[in-house]
Amino acid sequence: MARQKGIIKLKGTIGDITFYKTQDGHLAREKGGIDASRIASDPAFQRTRENGSEFGRAGKAGKVLRTALRALLLNSADGRMVSRLTQQMVKVIQADMVSERGLRNVIDGEAELLIGFEFNIRGKLGTSLFAPFVATIDRVSGEITVDLASFIPANMIAAPSGTTHFKIISAGAEIDFEAEMENPVKLTTTFQSKLTTISGAN
């Protein structure tokens, strides 16, 4: 991969070079690679097929999670959230110590590795809200609780310049990752606090 410089930026393919634009700017790369049929059948690429299978599974799992939380992510996710979530899902799957390589999955992996994942890397919760809170899940009753003690907004919220009001939105989802695309999201519940001024007055 090479970065394009100069006044004229190209898009498309010339010979074996492909020119394209990303969030990182205008780039260029050489076409190439191994024939897909060889990767699919050659024993030498067994590990490649295993990695590809698990990466695809991670991508599907990430899409299921994003779908469950879509209402919250419409105006809050950053441009690289999808790829970052997929990478984290790969780690979840790789933590599966039960299944064979290539068959590892989210259910037998470590979903706890998703704790703390930031859907907006430019607006992290830990650098926006400084008020302490505790989130708990009671799997028997199906209840999700977020306990947030009273706080002074001006002291505990790092709001962008010009912000006058805020509200806190929380959500919980019941997801069956094994179902994949066959109705995997069983339930999504959201809660919104009332709109409050940063000064603390209603």
Side-chain angles (χ1 to χ4, degrees), residues 25-72:
H26 291 78
L27 307 176
R29 66 184 175 193
E30 185 177 6
K31 295 171 60 179
I34 301 170
D35 185 79
S37 61
R38 181 183 175 190
I39 294 178
S41 59
D42 193 330
F45 291 94
Q46 175 65 25
R47 183 57 58 85
T48 300
R49 291 192 292 272
E50 293 171 351
N51 291 340
S53 176
E54 293 184 353
F55 185 81
R57 197 168 294 118
K60 289 181 179 179
K63 183 177 181 180
V64 168
L65 181 57
R66 297 196 313 273
T67 299
L69 302 176
R70 186 174 186 275
L72 279 72

Side-chain angles (χ1 to χ4, degrees), residues 24-200:
D24 296 320
H26 291 78
L27 307 176
R29 66 184 175 193
E30 185 177 6
K31 295 171 60 179
I34 301 170
D35 185 79
S37 61
R38 181 183 175 190
I39 294 178
S41 59
D42 193 330
F45 291 94
Q46 175 65 25
R47 183 57 58 85
T48 300
R49 291 192 292 272
E50 293 171 351
N51 291 340
S53 176
E54 293 184 353
F55 185 81
R57 197 168 294 118
K60 289 181 179 179
K63 183 177 181 180
V64 168
L65 181 57
R66 297 196 313 273
T67 299
L69 302 176
R70 186 174 186 275
L72 279 72
L73 300 179
L74 285 175
N75 299 313
S76 62
D78 64 76
R80 296 185 182 277
M81 183 271 289
V82 173
S83 61
R84 291 191 298 104
L85 181 57
T86 299
Q87 291 174 0
Q88 196 63 21
M89 281 293 187
V90 167
K91 295 179 181 179
V92 170
I93 289 174
Q94 289 176 340
D96 178 359
M97 299 290 107
V98 179
S99 309
E100 295 181 5
R101 188 184 180 97
L103 300 176
R104 294 180 294 189
N105 57 82
V106 174
I107 299 299
D108 295 317
E110 293 291 340
E112 290 79 4
L113 292 174
L114 294 173
I115 294 176
F117 179 81
E118 297 286 355
F119 286 94
N120 187 346
I121 203 68
R122 296 189 297 271
K124 296 181 179 181
L125 180 61
T127 57
S128 301
L129 176 66
F130 294 92
F133 65 90
V134 178
T136 57
I137 300 176
D138 187 329
R139 298 187 182 279
V140 176
S141 65
E143 293 184 349
I144 298 177
T145 304
V146 178
D147 290 322
L148 182 65
S150 299
F151 63 92
I152 300 175
N155 295 341
M156 291 297 181
I157 294 180
S161 177
T163 301
T164 58
H165 292 71
F166 78 96
K167 63 181 175 180
I168 295 175
I169 305 175
S170 61
E174 180 183 352
I175 300 173
D176 182 359
F177 286 106
E178 289 185 336
E180 292 189 340
M181 304 314 294
E182 298 178 4
N183 193 29
V185 180
K186 307 304 180 184
L187 177 69
T188 300
T189 302
T190 61
F191 170 80
Q192 296 187 33
S193 68
K194 64 180 180 180
L195 195 64
T196 306
T197 62
I198 294 294
S199 64

